[in-house]
Amino acid sequence: MSATTILGLLAACGTTVSFLPQAITTIYTKNTSGISLAMYVLFVIGTLLWLIDGLMIGSMPVIMANAITLVVASVILVF
């Protein structure tokens, strides 16, 4: 595994894991009053586009990070 791939995977883990506290809090409290709906809609769309880009270029770090982040951000968006 190349250094670039390892760096990408570490970056992907950091940014993806950063959404877990918000998702957990939202799931348990069902409270989204402090979250901007417009921001999350745009974020989910952007994440989906990054996922598509990752699939098109075959970049595993981009695919993994954005697939997981898309699920977590979508859960928050649904609430």
Side-chain angles (χ1 to χ4, degrees):
M1 192 175 298
S2 73
T4 303
T5 301
I6 292 170
L7 180 64
L9 288 170
L10 289 172
C13 286
T15 56
T16 300
V17 170
S18 72
F19 277 90
L20 290 179
Q22 184 66 61
I24 292 167
T25 299
T26 301
I27 290 166
Y28 283 117
T29 66
K30 311 270 192 276
N31 181 6
T32 58
S33 63
I35 299 174
S36 167
L37 177 61
M39 178 272 197
Y40 262 88
V41 168
L42 291 171
F43 182 77
V44 167
I45 290 168
T47 303
L48 176 62
L49 294 174
W50 272 114
L51 175 59
I52 293 167
D53 179 63
L55 291 167
M56 291 174 70
I57 64 173
S59 173
M60 191 53 63
V62 175
I63 293 167
M64 288 175 45
N66 288 289
I68 294 168
T69 302
L70 182 62
V71 170
V72 174
S74 295
V75 167
I76 294 170
L77 185 62
V78 168
F79 278 98

